[in-house]
Amino acid sequence: MVLLENDSFLTELTRLFQKCRTSGSVVITLKKYDGRTKPVPRKGHLESFEPADNKCLIRASDGKKKISTVVSTKEVIKFQMAYSNLLRAHMDGLKKKDKKSKSKKTKATQ
Amino acid sequence: MPVFQTWDEFARAAEKLYLTDPMKVRVVLKYRHCDGSLCIKVTDNAVCLQYKTDQAQDVKKIEKLHGKLMRLMVSKETHSGAMETD
């Protein structure tokens, strides 16, 4: 699992989407993160860890390659904008529901 | 493990589940371009809410919910105060 900076994560995520255009899936996971870097101590042991409240962990995978990044309050605005654009740009293979038929251009061919 | 048929119900249930225990809940998004399908799952390992779609109009809704939950996770507030309703 590769932990990246926010920008590198977005770049790699773009690559994952591009790679999976012909086959495979891109799985993205989002979870609140309290910043712990050590495993949870067993019962009886003291937990000398102060959980941080302002971070989240984002992971992405195409089944083979795994990437991840941590986003905190300071970065979330910028990251979320870039991330939304990325998702919208790449998740374009879905069916478009148009109530109006697109054949507005019923010009007689000349 | 309900799969929701309407987006609104899913979105409300997802946010509610997150607010009950933010540390436990995770959001999983699975996109398959070859199949043209998108699936979003919100779970706390006990309850699992899912929504599947193949419609382009749902991408924006899913991406907005994702962003909303992301912002909830990084905010220090204990509960979402002023959240704009979609």
Side-chain angles (χ1 to χ4, degrees):
Chain A
M1 173 69 73
V2 184
L3 181 63
L4 303 165
E5 296 291 323
N6 292 350
D7 297 325
S8 324
F9 176 80
L10 291 168
T11 315
E12 287 302 316
L13 182 59
T14 309
R15 269 197 219 136
L16 280 185
F17 272 111
Q18 286 164 346
K19 243 177 48 170
C20 290
R21 274 183 99 77
T22 44
S23 73
S25 28
V26 180
V27 182
I28 302 173
T29 308
L30 169 68
K31 193 176 177 168
K32 190 168 160 72
Y33 177 53
D34 60 3
R36 58 175 83 230
T37 47
K38 293 196 186 154
V40 178
R42 277 177 274 180
K43 275 187 272 191
H45 287 233
L46 286 164
E47 175 141 5
S48 56
F49 175 74
E50 289 288 322
D53 192 26
N54 61 340
K55 287 193 265 228
C56 69
L57 176 66
I58 305 194
R59 290 201 189 111
S61 167
D62 65 350
K64 303 241 175 86
K65 187 172 158 86
K66 290 167 155 184
I67 52 174
S68 62
T69 191
V70 177
V71 186
S72 58
T73 327
K74 294 186 202 148
E75 311 151 341
V76 72
I77 300 171
K78 206 176 101 184
F79 179 82
Q80 211 223 310
M81 254 178 27
Y83 177 71
S84 310
N85 290 339
L86 211 158
L87 285 192
R88 260 179 282 166
H90 286 95
M91 295 189 172
D92 57 349
L94 279 75
K95 293 192 205 142
K96 292 191 171 53
K97 193 188 205 173
D98 36 10
K99 289 192 179 162
K100 298 182 256 179
S101 61
K102 275 198 169 167
S103 53
K104 265 197 225 170
K105 301 178 190 164
T106 45
K107 287 186 208 152
T109 49
Q110 288 173 359
Chain B
M1 180 150 103
V3 182
F4 287 78
Q5 304 301 324
T6 49
W7 171 254
D8 283 329
E9 283 176 27
F10 171 79
R12 259 180 283 139
E15 212 181 317
K16 197 167 157 201
L17 182 66
Y18 172 73
L19 292 171
T20 51
D21 195 336
M23 274 317 285
K24 269 199 165 167
V25 169
R26 69 176 186 279
V27 182
V28 184
L29 203 65
K30 178 157 144 179
Y31 173 68
R32 285 184 64 84
H33 185 90
C34 49
D35 293 341
S37 67
L38 180 59
C39 170
I40 181 169
K41 172 164 80 168
V42 179
T43 177
D44 67 350
N45 294 326
V47 176
C48 177
L49 314 166
Q50 280 180 298
Y51 182 78
K52 297 190 188 168
T53 185
D54 57 355
Q55 300 291 326
Q57 60 186 351
D58 287 331
V59 172
K60 191 170 173 193
K61 295 181 194 162
I62 289 176
E63 167 261 306
K64 269 172 100 174
L65 177 67
H66 207 261
K68 190 179 193 181
L69 291 169
M70 201 191 297
R71 268 176 286 134
L72 278 175
M73 289 173 184
V74 298
S75 70
K76 285 202 181 134
E77 298 148 14
T78 39
H79 82 106
S80 56
M83 293 305 296
E84 61 267 63
T85 45
D86 296 297

